[in-house]
């Protein structure tokens, strides 16, 4: 522990917020994008640098490029509503997430038009820089030929409510798209493409991040159909026939149009957890990183981590207090017929609080690193030994809130929501459980 640091364990909420802020700082595009630009080869004689991209962090990534790239450039990126930042040479467009809208469809069409429009003069002397981050799948909403935006919206909504993994959801998205699954890089051919990516997916698979618009797709249309069938999602018969027949197949690894495409990860869930762990050590708190790719039903993951936290508190195993259990990844919430209000991190905290049942000395923060948990205005929430009692005082029942998937309503009532606004980055879920 740094001798200059005096850690106040009487204010655990502030400590948890410090860890979250350290995690966000590690994934700040202003910090992680500029070093990667050093490897970008300038355009050749007469060539141009064209910047394209999509995701919740893409606008901040574009601003970092503008500030650190010395030569001329032009481009277009699309980000979520409220996540835009001013840029001078790269156009920023905002659209809907997680269910696509007409603005995203139009932006994706313009992006393809930008590349196709330049195709008559686009050569190996030109360079395409793709800025990709989580959320790009919904934001790049150009349907494949014969697929409508209404179909994409309906299937996306059904998949999000089904409990399907992000890899499964993106497999479907790729095969209904004119731009994802490697098609964007294919449209840029013969110009080389460098993709700078901020990962928000378990495992950091380039083909899954934003549905891999510049990466060959190892999955198949049959795989996409299998995902839809596994979750009993109704598919229009004509669309089913096109998927089954391979008509909507994506470019595969080894496609010659992707030969000049390079991919670099500039920020990841692991890096943000390591930054939080370093901050914990600085504060004299022993960090234990449980993993950067935890998946499963949010409430069940909450129950599991509650058991680990209680073991630390009672037995000093697998870590002695004061300690903090850190984890990332992407849990799921299966809504079924319930409407619900609140994101997966808030639901995780309901499951955690229910399992802890007021256990002393255990405090937690869980949040989406983009600043928006689900579709509400909070990044996440806090839990402590008094959570359930505050709910009772507010006329709220913890078990009932969990059954109704009303995490936002519960934590709004207890005053425990964490509201940050858009953070302009996205390395998925951040969970910290402090045991003191």
């Amino acid at each position: 522990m740094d001798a200059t640091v005096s850690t106040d364990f009487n204010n655990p909420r502030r400590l948890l917020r410090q860890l979250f802020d350290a995690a966000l700082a590690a994934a700040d595009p202003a910090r992680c994008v500029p070093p990667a630009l050093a490897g970008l080869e300038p355009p050749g004689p007469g060539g141009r640098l064209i910047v394209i991209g999509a995701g919740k962090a893409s606008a901040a990534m574009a601003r970092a490029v503008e500030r650190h790239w010395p030569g001329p450039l032009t481009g277009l990126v699309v980000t979520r509503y409220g996540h835009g930042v001013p840029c001078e040479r790269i156009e920023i467009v905002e659209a809907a997430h997680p269910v696509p809208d007409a603005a995203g469809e139009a932006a994706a069409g313009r992006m393809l038009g930008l590349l196709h429009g330049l195709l008559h003069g686009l050569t190996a002397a030109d360079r395409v820089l793709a800025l990709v981050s989580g959320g790009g799948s919904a934001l790049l909403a150009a349907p494949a030929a014969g697929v409508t935006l209404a179909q994409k919206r309906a299937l996306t909504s059904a998949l999000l409510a089904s409990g399907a993994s992000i890899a499964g959801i993106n497999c479907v998205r790729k095969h209904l798209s004119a731009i994802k699954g490697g098609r964007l890089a294919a449209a840029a051919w013969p110009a080389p493409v460098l993709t700078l990516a901020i990962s928000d997916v378990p495992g950091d698979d380039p083909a899954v991040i934003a549905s891999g618009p510049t990466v060959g797709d190892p999955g198949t249309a049959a795989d996409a159909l299998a995902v839809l069938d596994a979750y009993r999602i109704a598919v229009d018969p004509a669309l089913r026939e096109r998927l089954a027949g391979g008509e909507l197949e994506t470019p595969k690894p080894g496609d010659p149009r992707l030969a000049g495409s390079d991919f670099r990860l500039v920020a990841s869930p692991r890096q943000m957890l390591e930054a939080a762990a370093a901050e914990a050590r600085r504060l004299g708190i022993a960090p234990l990183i449980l993993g950067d790719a935890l998946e499963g039903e949010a409430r069940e993951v909450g129950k599991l981590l509650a058991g680990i936290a209680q073991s630390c508190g009672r037995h000093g195993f697998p870590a002695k207090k004061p300690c903090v259990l850190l984890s990332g990844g992407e849990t799921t919430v299966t809504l079924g017929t319930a409407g619900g209000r609140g994101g997966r991190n808030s639901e995780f905290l309901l499951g955690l609080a229910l399992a802890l049942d007021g256990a002393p000395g255990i405090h937690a923060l869980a949040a989406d690193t983009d600043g928006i948990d689900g579709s509400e205005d909070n990044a996440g929430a806090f839990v402590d030994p008094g959570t359930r009692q505050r709910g009772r005082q507010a006329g709220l029942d913890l078990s009932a809130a969990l059954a109704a998937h009303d995490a936002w309503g519960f934590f709004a009532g207890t005053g425990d929501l964490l509201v940050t606004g858009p953070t302009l980055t996205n390395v998925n879920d951040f969970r910290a459980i402090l045991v003191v």
Side-chain angles (χ1 to χ4, degrees), residues 13 350 381-384 386-396 398 407-417:
R13 188 167 294 198
L350 285 182
F382 294 93
V383 155
D384 60 42
T387 295
R388 191 164 199 169
Q389 182 58 31
R390 284 195 301 278
R392 291 188 180 118
Q393 291 170 350
L396 300 169
L398 183 58
W408 188 93
F410 183 88
F411 289 117
T414 61
D416 294 325
L417 291 176

Side-chain angles (χ1 to χ4, degrees), residues 3 21 45 105 136 171 206 271 292 302 317 333 344 363 365 370 383 399 404 418 429:
D21 289 344
E105 180 181 31
C171 178
Q271 291 169 349
D292 65 349
F317 178 81
V333 176
R344 58 183 180 264
H363 308 257
L365 175 158
D370 69 0
V383 155
S399 298
L418 170 63
D429 299 343

